[in-house]
Amino acid sequence: MVKAALPRVDYDYVMKMRAWSYAYSWVQDRENHGLFCTARTDERESQFQWVGPLASIKWTLFAAPDSNIRLNSLEEAKNLQIAGYKGDVMSDYLIANGFNVITAVSGDVNTRRLMLGQADLWVTDGLVGPLVAREEHGITGLKPVLVFRETPMYLAFSTNTDPTIIADLQKALDEARKAGELDKIEDSYRQ
């Protein structure tokens, strides 16, 4: 989605993959640096300038395919071991609220923890989680046990970035959305 917007502006850019917690800290103090996809929450609102929304994530607890775990509320997961991604908004939320979360710097470890019985649940996005499990590990049939929140995802820029750049990128993203490009991209992940 970000790549769909960028050709509509005349800016040079470089995209790099980084560990989430490292990138999150790195971007905050650096002019003209952005991070995606970043959940836009009340706690993060003043930390960034925002371009989006790109999509939304459904905060989902998944169980292994052979699990019997069923939840009616988030509170019912308090005594369970939950695998999460270090620095991720979903993991941080659960930790702050007293849940037993084991975090990993690399998100792909969590699928293996779940399948090996080292965790009862895995907290991840309802759309991306099963995609990662299937494409990186050949794992299918994860059970979505509970969706407990939904958050819009954005391209988050340092507050040191010129607001004109933010406005230009927002306009470009809006144009890509109006042209149907963003819907097409999102639909490709549902298949």
Side-chain angles (χ1 to χ4, degrees):
M1 292 178 177
V2 172
K3 285 183 178 179
L6 288 172
R8 291 175 160 81
V9 294
D10 190 27
Y11 295 125
D12 292 329
Y13 66 91
V14 175
M15 288 188 188
K16 295 181 181 180
M17 294 282 294
R18 297 283 187 248
W20 180 256
S21 54
Y22 172 81
Y24 187 87
S25 295
W26 173 263
V27 164
Q28 289 187 11
D29 295 326
R30 289 183 170 70
E31 182 180 6
N32 301 331
H33 280 71
L35 177 68
F36 65 92
C37 287
T38 309
R40 186 173 183 174
T41 63
D42 291 342
E43 298 80 18
R44 292 176 169 175
E45 186 65 32
S46 64
Q47 295 175 336
F48 298 101
Q49 295 184 74
W50 302 93
V51 175
L54 300 170
S56 66
I57 58 168
K58 292 185 178 181
W59 299 22
T60 306
L61 293 172
F62 283 94
D66 61 351
S67 174
N68 294 327
I69 296 174
R70 294 197 188 338
L71 300 175
N72 294 309
S73 72
L74 186 57
E75 275 301 306
E76 292 177 5
K78 277 273 187 179
N79 296 320
L80 299 174
Q81 184 82 25
I82 302 170
Y85 188 52
K86 184 178 182 182
D88 175 69
V89 68
M90 295 173 277
S91 296
D92 288 349
Y93 174 84
L94 291 174
I95 291 167
N97 285 284
F99 288 82
N100 186 11
V101 181
I102 49 172
T103 59
V105 175
S106 174
D108 67 335
V109 171
N110 294 320
T111 310
R112 286 181 274 168
R113 281 184 172 155
L114 187 63
M115 298 306 290
L116 292 171
Q118 297 172 351
D120 301 304
L121 300 167
W122 174 30
V123 64
T124 187
D125 173 52
L127 181 63
V128 175
L131 181 71
V132 168
R134 184 181 72 240
E135 289 187 358
E136 293 188 12
H137 303 289
I139 297 168
T140 58
L142 291 178
K143 293 182 179 176
V145 176
L146 182 71
V147 175
F148 60 98
R149 191 170 174 183
E150 188 168 352
T151 309
M153 301 296 281
Y154 282 72
L155 174 55
F157 274 89
S158 162
T159 56
N160 297 331
T161 301
D162 183 339
T164 303
I165 293 171
I166 304 304
D168 289 346
L169 290 169
Q170 184 65 57
K171 181 180 177 204
L173 185 68
D174 293 343
E175 288 171 1
R177 178 170 283 112
K178 187 175 180 181
E181 291 178 44
L182 303 188
D183 287 339
K184 187 188 298 185
I185 292 166
E186 192 169 334
D187 289 345
S188 72
Y189 284 91
R190 296 191 198 295
Q191 298 175 3

Tab-separated table of all heavy atoms in Angstrom, residues 77-102:
chain	number	residue	atom	x	y	z
A	77	ALA	N	-8.131	-15.533	29.324
A	77	ALA	CA	-6.784	-15.891	28.870
A	77	ALA	C	-5.716	-15.506	29.894
A	77	ALA	O	-4.533	-15.737	29.660
A	77	ALA	CB	-6.492	-15.209	27.533
A	78	LYS	N	-6.103	-14.950	31.038
A	78	LYS	CA	-5.143	-14.464	32.041
A	78	LYS	C	-4.162	-15.534	32.501
A	78	LYS	O	-3.012	-15.238	32.764
A	78	LYS	CB	-5.868	-13.909	33.263
A	78	LYS	CG	-6.326	-12.492	33.108
A	78	LYS	CD	-5.255	-11.520	33.507
A	78	LYS	CE	-5.845	-10.131	33.486
A	78	LYS	NZ	-4.979	-9.091	33.868
A	79	ASN	N	-4.591	-16.770	32.626
A	79	ASN	CA	-3.726	-17.832	33.139
A	79	ASN	C	-3.059	-18.646	32.043
A	79	ASN	O	-2.448	-19.675	32.331
A	79	ASN	CB	-4.518	-18.754	34.069
A	79	ASN	CG	-5.000	-18.017	35.299
A	79	ASN	OD1	-4.280	-17.194	35.860
A	79	ASN	ND2	-6.221	-18.292	35.714
A	80	LEU	N	-3.169	-18.206	30.812
A	80	LEU	CA	-2.571	-18.936	29.694
A	80	LEU	C	-1.277	-18.262	29.248
A	80	LEU	O	-1.093	-17.056	29.425
A	80	LEU	CB	-3.564	-19.007	28.526
A	80	LEU	CG	-4.882	-19.726	28.829
A	80	LEU	CD1	-5.826	-19.597	27.642
A	80	LEU	CD2	-4.631	-21.185	29.180
A	81	GLN	N	-0.385	-19.049	28.677
A	81	GLN	CA	0.875	-18.545	28.133
A	81	GLN	C	0.604	-18.042	26.710
A	81	GLN	O	0.109	-18.799	25.874
A	81	GLN	CB	1.903	-19.674	28.099
A	81	GLN	CG	3.268	-19.259	27.660
A	81	GLN	CD	4.077	-18.652	28.803
A	81	GLN	OE1	3.855	-18.920	29.960
A	81	GLN	NE2	5.013	-17.816	28.451
A	82	ILE	N	0.929	-16.787	26.439
A	82	ILE	CA	0.651	-16.175	25.136
A	82	ILE	C	1.969	-15.786	24.475
A	82	ILE	O	2.796	-15.094	25.071
A	82	ILE	CB	-0.253	-14.932	25.295
A	82	ILE	CG1	-1.569	-15.316	25.990
A	82	ILE	CG2	-0.508	-14.280	23.936
A	82	ILE	CD1	-2.420	-14.135	26.409
A	83	ALA	N	2.166	-16.214	23.253
A	83	ALA	CA	3.342	-15.835	22.467
A	83	ALA	C	3.045	-14.515	21.770
A	83	ALA	O	1.957	-14.324	21.222
A	83	ALA	CB	3.674	-16.916	21.441
A	84	GLY	N	4.017	-13.592	21.789
A	84	GLY	CA	3.835	-12.294	21.157
A	84	GLY	C	5.133	-11.780	20.564
A	84	GLY	O	6.203	-12.350	20.771
A	85	TYR	N	5.011	-10.695	19.847
A	85	TYR	CA	6.135	-10.069	19.155
A	85	TYR	C	6.618	-8.886	19.981
A	85	TYR	O	5.819	-8.025	20.362
A	85	TYR	CB	5.662	-9.626	17.770
A	85	TYR	CG	6.721	-9.125	16.837
A	85	TYR	CD1	7.859	-9.868	16.571
A	85	TYR	CD2	6.560	-7.906	16.192
A	85	TYR	CE1	8.830	-9.399	15.692
A	85	TYR	CE2	7.516	-7.438	15.305
A	85	TYR	CZ	8.646	-8.185	15.066
A	85	TYR	OH	9.605	-7.728	14.191
A	86	LYS	N	7.915	-8.833	20.283
A	86	LYS	CA	8.481	-7.785	21.130
A	86	LYS	C	8.244	-6.397	20.525
A	86	LYS	O	8.564	-6.147	19.376
A	86	LYS	CB	9.981	-8.002	21.317
A	86	LYS	CG	10.608	-7.004	22.253
A	86	LYS	CD	12.077	-7.261	22.462
A	86	LYS	CE	12.632	-6.251	23.441
A	86	LYS	NZ	14.054	-6.431	23.632
A	87	GLY	N	7.666	-5.503	21.337
A	87	GLY	CA	7.414	-4.132	20.908
A	87	GLY	C	6.123	-3.957	20.139
A	87	GLY	O	5.752	-2.837	19.792
A	88	ASP	N	5.418	-5.037	19.891
A	88	ASP	CA	4.158	-4.975	19.150
A	88	ASP	C	3.062	-4.423	20.050
A	88	ASP	O	3.024	-4.722	21.250
A	88	ASP	CB	3.802	-6.386	18.663
A	88	ASP	CG	2.454	-6.430	17.991
A	88	ASP	OD1	2.326	-5.863	16.894
A	88	ASP	OD2	1.522	-7.028	18.572
A	89	VAL	N	2.175	-3.650	19.489
A	89	VAL	CA	1.127	-2.992	20.262
A	89	VAL	C	0.223	-4.009	20.964
A	89	VAL	O	-0.197	-3.791	22.100
A	89	VAL	CB	0.312	-2.017	19.368
A	89	VAL	CG1	-0.521	-2.758	18.329
A	89	VAL	CG2	-0.566	-1.103	20.209
A	90	MET	N	-0.049	-5.136	20.319
A	90	MET	CA	-0.914	-6.150	20.931
A	90	MET	C	-0.229	-6.801	22.127
A	90	MET	O	-0.842	-6.970	23.189
A	90	MET	CB	-1.314	-7.201	19.895
A	90	MET	CG	-2.186	-6.647	18.776
A	90	MET	SD	-2.493	-7.849	17.452
A	90	MET	CE	-1.000	-7.653	16.466
A	91	SER	N	1.034	-7.170	21.953
A	91	SER	CA	1.794	-7.780	23.052
A	91	SER	C	1.946	-6.794	24.208
A	91	SER	O	1.752	-7.155	25.376
A	91	SER	CB	3.174	-8.220	22.571
A	91	SER	OG	3.065	-9.225	21.599
A	92	ASP	N	2.310	-5.560	23.891
A	92	ASP	CA	2.487	-4.539	24.932
A	92	ASP	C	1.199	-4.311	25.716
A	92	ASP	O	1.219	-4.150	26.941
A	92	ASP	CB	2.969	-3.224	24.318
A	92	ASP	CG	4.410	-3.288	23.849
A	92	ASP	OD1	5.116	-4.270	24.171
A	92	ASP	OD2	4.835	-2.344	23.142
A	93	TYR	N	0.073	-4.308	25.022
A	93	TYR	CA	-1.221	-4.129	25.680
A	93	TYR	C	-1.483	-5.259	26.673
A	93	TYR	O	-1.877	-5.021	27.821
A	93	TYR	CB	-2.339	-4.070	24.626
A	93	TYR	CG	-3.717	-4.036	25.219
A	93	TYR	CD1	-4.283	-2.837	25.634
A	93	TYR	CD2	-4.457	-5.206	25.374
A	93	TYR	CE1	-5.559	-2.814	26.195
A	93	TYR	CE2	-5.729	-5.190	25.927
A	93	TYR	CZ	-6.276	-3.988	26.339
A	93	TYR	OH	-7.525	-3.955	26.893
A	94	LEU	N	-1.253	-6.490	26.217
A	94	LEU	CA	-1.494	-7.634	27.093
A	94	LEU	C	-0.564	-7.614	28.303
A	94	LEU	O	-0.997	-7.852	29.435
A	94	LEU	CB	-1.341	-8.945	26.315
A	94	LEU	CG	-2.422	-9.224	25.268
A	94	LEU	CD1	-2.074	-10.466	24.464
A	94	LEU	CD2	-3.797	-9.353	25.922
A	95	ILE	N	0.714	-7.320	28.089
A	95	ILE	CA	1.685	-7.259	29.183
A	95	ILE	C	1.272	-6.186	30.195
A	95	ILE	O	1.282	-6.422	31.407
A	95	ILE	CB	3.104	-7.001	28.643
A	95	ILE	CG1	3.601	-8.237	27.866
A	95	ILE	CG2	4.063	-6.639	29.771
A	95	ILE	CD1	4.841	-7.981	27.022
A	96	ALA	N	0.893	-5.009	29.699
A	96	ALA	CA	0.488	-3.905	30.574
A	96	ALA	C	-0.745	-4.247	31.400
A	96	ALA	O	-0.967	-3.669	32.463
A	96	ALA	CB	0.242	-2.640	29.746
A	97	ASN	N	-1.539	-5.198	30.902
A	97	ASN	CA	-2.761	-5.578	31.597
A	97	ASN	C	-2.625	-6.896	32.348
A	97	ASN	O	-3.632	-7.534	32.686
A	97	ASN	CB	-3.928	-5.613	30.613
A	97	ASN	CG	-4.381	-4.214	30.253
A	97	ASN	OD1	-5.048	-3.552	31.041
A	97	ASN	ND2	-3.969	-3.732	29.092
A	98	GLY	N	-1.388	-7.307	32.598
A	98	GLY	CA	-1.138	-8.433	33.483
A	98	GLY	C	-1.226	-9.819	32.872
A	98	GLY	O	-1.312	-10.804	33.598
A	99	PHE	N	-1.172	-9.911	31.548
A	99	PHE	CA	-1.205	-11.225	30.901
A	99	PHE	C	0.196	-11.811	30.836
A	99	PHE	O	1.190	-11.080	30.863
A	99	PHE	CB	-1.812	-11.109	29.501
A	99	PHE	CG	-3.290	-10.864	29.512
A	99	PHE	CD1	-3.790	-9.583	29.692
A	99	PHE	CD2	-4.192	-11.911	29.359
A	99	PHE	CE1	-5.154	-9.339	29.716
A	99	PHE	CE2	-5.553	-11.685	29.390
A	99	PHE	CZ	-6.044	-10.402	29.571
A	100	ASN	N	0.270	-13.127	30.731
A	100	ASN	CA	1.534	-13.853	30.680
A	100	ASN	C	1.975	-13.983	29.226
A	100	ASN	O	1.577	-14.911	28.527
A	100	ASN	CB	1.354	-15.229	31.328
A	100	ASN	CG	2.643	-15.987	31.439
A	100	ASN	OD1	3.727	-15.456	31.225
A	100	ASN	ND2	2.529	-17.261	31.765
A	101	VAL	N	2.786	-13.023	28.774
A	101	VAL	CA	3.212	-12.973	27.372
A	101	VAL	C	4.716	-13.217	27.289
A	101	VAL	O	5.492	-12.552	27.972
A	101	VAL	CB	2.878	-11.612	26.726
A	101	VAL	CG1	3.308	-11.575	25.265
A	101	VAL	CG2	1.396	-11.308	26.853
A	102	ILE	N	5.098	-14.184	26.458
A	102	ILE	CA	6.509	-14.376	26.153
A	102	ILE	C	6.736	-13.747	24.784
A	102	ILE	O	6.005	-14.019	23.840
A	102	ILE	CB	6.918	-15.865	26.158
A	102	ILE	CG1	5.961	-16.718	25.334
A	102	ILE	CG2	7.030	-16.386	27.556
A	102	ILE	CD1	6.415	-18.152	25.143
